[in-house]
Amino acid sequence: MGKTSRILIGLFFCCCTYFVSANPVPNPSLNNIPDSSDKIKEFHNIYPDKYPRGSFIKWQFERLFYKSHKDSDDVAPSTGPNLELIHHPGSNVIVTWIGHSTLIYQCDGITFLTDPIFSDYASPLPPLGPKRHVPPGVSIKQLPHIDVVLISHNHYDHLDLPSVRALANQAGGPPLFLVPMNVRKWFLNNIEVMNTPDNTKKVIEFNWNKSISVPGKTNNFDITFLSVHHWSARSLWDRDETLWGSWAIVHPEFKFWFSGDLGYSKDSVDIGNRFQGFDLAAIDIGAYKPRWFMANYHLNPQEAVQVMKDVRAKQAIGIHWGVFKLSDEPFLQPPVDLKNALDIEHIDNNKFIVLKIGESKVYKEIN
């Protein structure tokens, strides 16, 4: 795809046209599942932007005329999936990186999938837009039965229509889709199978701090949608009309946090204080250059390490890198910068790792 096409399609993704102001959301009680709310027309981050707003037009001008970045043929490392392990997890806690922010998380008999994108383009108008550089580590056809899908926000690299449509039509019936506020309507308008009386109940939308209890094999999971600093849009005309956030999946034997997309803010400190730490966190480490444009809404690896410390995660996995070209850093730069950040903080590199695309890691056995 040429640079001119990238600039045009980029308007669909980066229409950063105003500051996001502080507007705290009340803290409802646990296990209070929200109803759909079309009355909320615009959402706001809890904490204000830390940096002046960057200009998307300026960024693209620099990329086009000053070669402020270098395209590369380098690709993120990948490996064949361990399908036997994924399809028969037993009592193990297992994380498998499919690529970008798409993870399989398996715990206590339940298989979760985060921000599924299996398509070749993260775009409303393929073949325009960011193109996948590495195939999914596990294909749609290779997936185990998915019980719960977690969506962090509605950007095209996190909410992909062909992918969620395929999941809704999986053998054995649709998974439970947990989505941000005002995204449920999009599901019902775009995925026909979800419009049966039984399946409409399988799309549940969440405001921040709302929770749901999901039964596992031995104990229940408390799943909570939490604020992080980001934004939403699927066109030039729907900025922040749907919510965004992160997900805490809390089981008595293992606590997992999925960051979604985020810029650094005090939200991560609040999450750490509320949950008193996690056994594992999946944290964005990519799409961070140039900082003058990306800093408000995407972590760099140094900030990702700080977020790991803020949420008090014992271990972390770096996600949101190496698949789609969304920013100026080379594909393989995030792991390098992550290692440097860990070394500066004197943190064992094994505490915050990157997986190969398709790689699984076993964390614990739950009895």
Side-chain angles (χ1 to χ4, degrees), residues 176-196:
L176 178 65
F177 289 100
L178 306 184
V179 305
M181 189 68 77
N182 288 357
V183 174
R184 183 175 187 270
K185 182 178 179 180
W186 178 91
F187 263 81
L188 300 182
N189 286 343
N190 288 279
I191 306 175
E192 183 177 358
V193 70
M194 301 309 297
N195 281 284
T196 66

Side-chain angles (χ1 to χ4, degrees), residues 109-123:
I110 299 297
T111 297
F112 300 87
L113 189 67
T114 64
D115 286 358
I117 178 166
F118 294 83
S119 296
D120 290 336
Y121 291 88
S123 167

